[in-house]
Each structure stands twice: as structure tokens, then as C-alpha cells.
């Protein structure tokens, strides 16, 4: 979606390294969702952010929402091979009714 | 059930054949969504139901695509006269009610290949 851009498109890191994935919206964010997807499978819910400045963590994954910048970041600390997959951000930007608009995804590879 | 269930998981259809994809949302979930995901792309919205009412079908790519949820629970996405460009993963999602604050859960998807 052009309304939601993710960067980088792909990322290869060495196990143990930290990494950050960004999601930027061209519209006001009313809710931001992060999902993880393995190839050919469904989306696994990670976190949801609603308020500006909100930050949530689950295990070694932290997500933040910068409402003013209309941007969210997903940070993984001390990456492991189990973190590999496609990370998708989905946003409620209320452009066309009730739905989430998704970015193109970030393909993460973690080399042991 | 524990999660959103979709069937079949994999479907190979000959061009021109009709297909039906089923979605069993989480019990009690009011909101139901269908998305289409092409290889290497993010999911694209197809349609949205609140209970049995189809409130938004603006994402359906053509009149060959039809979705229903007659009793407000199970939903079926039907594709008539399939074409090669219909090959994609079809994802179903449900939520207790779509609004900021409610988690949206996705199923495993139905992978359609049209040959």
C-alpha cells in the first residue's frame, strides 16, 4: 500500500544483533498493528499500539508509536533464528471504512 | 474454536473453475474480514462483515468475487470462473468488533493456485 510504507524491505542480520523495522503512514494513525508471517502461512499478532508515545514489549520485541510522525518502529534485541519471517504493519487510517491497511512487509533473515 | 479456521488450506483450480473458500471466525466475533495476499506483497482488503451484514465490499476486484456470511458466523468467499491472476493466499480475519483497541486475528489462509 502506498499509504503505509515499511523499511527496509528485507534485512539480513547475524544472530545476536539488534535490528529495527519502520512503518510510516501518509495518513493519521488511529491504531497500528504488528504481525509476523511465516512463508505461506497466516499472520501472527504481535502487538497493537493506539496512543502517541505508546510503547509495548513482548519478550525481545518492542514496538513504539510516534503519532506526530505517523510512524511506528519495531525493535528486536539480540535476534535469534526464531525471529526470522516477514513482519507486517497494519494500520487503521480510516480512509475507507473499517479495515486495516497493510504495508508490503519486511523479510527478516537471521543467520546463526 | 481457539482461532480463525480456514479451509481448504491449499486449492488448485483449473482456469474457469469456480472455487469456494470457507472461514470459521473465533466464536462470538462480530467483525470478519477477507484479504488477498499476492506473493511478496502485503495483504489487500477485499471485504468486511459486521455480523451478517456486508458493510464494505469495495476491495473485491471484480464481479466474479462474492462473499457471504448468512448467519453472522461462518463466511464463504466464492470466486467464479477463476483466472490465473486470482492465484494468491486468501486470508480471513475476525475481531470482537472492529475499532481501535480490539485485536484482529488472522487464520492460516487458503492458498489458491489457478492453472
Amino acid at each position: 500500500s502506498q499509504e503505509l510504507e515499511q523499511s527496509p524491505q528485507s534485512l539480513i542480520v547475524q544472530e545476536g544483533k539488534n535490528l529495527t523495522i519502520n512503518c510510516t503512514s501518509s495518513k493519521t494513525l488511529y491504531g497500528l498493528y504488528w504481525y509476523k508471517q511465516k512463508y505461506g502461512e497466516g499472520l501472527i499478532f504481535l502487538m497493537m499500539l493506539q496512543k502517541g508515545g505508546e510503547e509495548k514489549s513482548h519478550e525481545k520485541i518492542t514496538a513504539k508509536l510516534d503519532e506526530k510522525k505517523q510512524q511506528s518502529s519495531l525493535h528486536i534485541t539480540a535476534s535469534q533464528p526464531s525471529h526470522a519471517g516477514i513482519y507486517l504493519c497494519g494500520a487503521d487510517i480510516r480512509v475507507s471504512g473499517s479495515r486495516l491497511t497493510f504495508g508490503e512487509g519486511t523479510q527478516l533473515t537471521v543467520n546463526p | 474454536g481457539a482461532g480463525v479456521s480456514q479451509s481448504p488450506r491449499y486449492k488448485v483450480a483449473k482456469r474457469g473453475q469456480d472455487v469456494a473458500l470457507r472461514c470459521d471466525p473465533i466464536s462470538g466475533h462480530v467483525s470478519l474480514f477477507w484479504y488477498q495476499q499476492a506473493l511478496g506483497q502485503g495483504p489487500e482488503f477485499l471485504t468486511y462483515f459486521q455480523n451478517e451484514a456486508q458493510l464494505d465490499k469495495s476491495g473485491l476486484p471484480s464481479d466474479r468475487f462474492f462473499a457471504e456470511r448468512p448467519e453472522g458466523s461462518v463466511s464463504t468467499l466464492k470466486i467464479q470462473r477463476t483466472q490465473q491472476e486470482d492465484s494468491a493466499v486468501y486470508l480471513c480475519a475476525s475481531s470482537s468488533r472492529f475499532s481501535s483497541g480490539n485485536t484482529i486475528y488472522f487464520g492460516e489462509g487458503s492458498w489458491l493456485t489457478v492453472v
Side-chain angles (χ1 to χ4, degrees), chain A residues 1 30-31 33 35 37 39-43 45 48 50 88 92 94 96-105, chain B residues 9 33 35 37 39-45 48 56 58 91 98-108 111:
Chain A
S1 163
Y30 293 92
Y33 297 69
Y35 291 88
Q37 185 178 33
Y39 179 75
E41 297 181 7
L43 278 61
F45 172 77
M48 174 181 60
Q50 286 181 265
L88 288 155
D92 175 5
R94 301 196 183 166
S96 305
S98 300
R99 66 178 71 173
L100 288 186
T101 299
F102 283 90
E104 298 288 295
Chain B
R9 284 278 284 127
F33 305 83
Y35 281 82
Q37 186 178 25
L39 196 62
Q41 304 290 316
E44 293 283 342
F45 172 80
Y48 164 66
D56 188 346
S58 61
L91 296 163
F98 181 71
S99 65
S100 289
N102 289 330
T103 303
I104 300 171
Y105 297 94
F106 281 78
E108 293 284 297
W111 195 320

Side-chain angles (χ1 to χ4, degrees), chain B residues 21-58:
Chain B
L21 308 176
R22 177 188 168 107
C23 173
D24 254 294
I26 293 171
S27 179
H29 275 193
V30 166
S31 298
L32 186 145
F33 305 83
W34 282 99
Y35 281 82
Q36 180 190 57
Q37 186 178 25
L39 196 62
Q41 304 290 316
E44 293 283 342
F45 172 80
L46 292 177
T47 187
Y48 164 66
F49 289 86
Q50 187 170 302
N51 295 307
E52 69 278 2
Q54 189 174 20
L55 298 186
D56 188 346
K57 54 181 181 179
S58 61

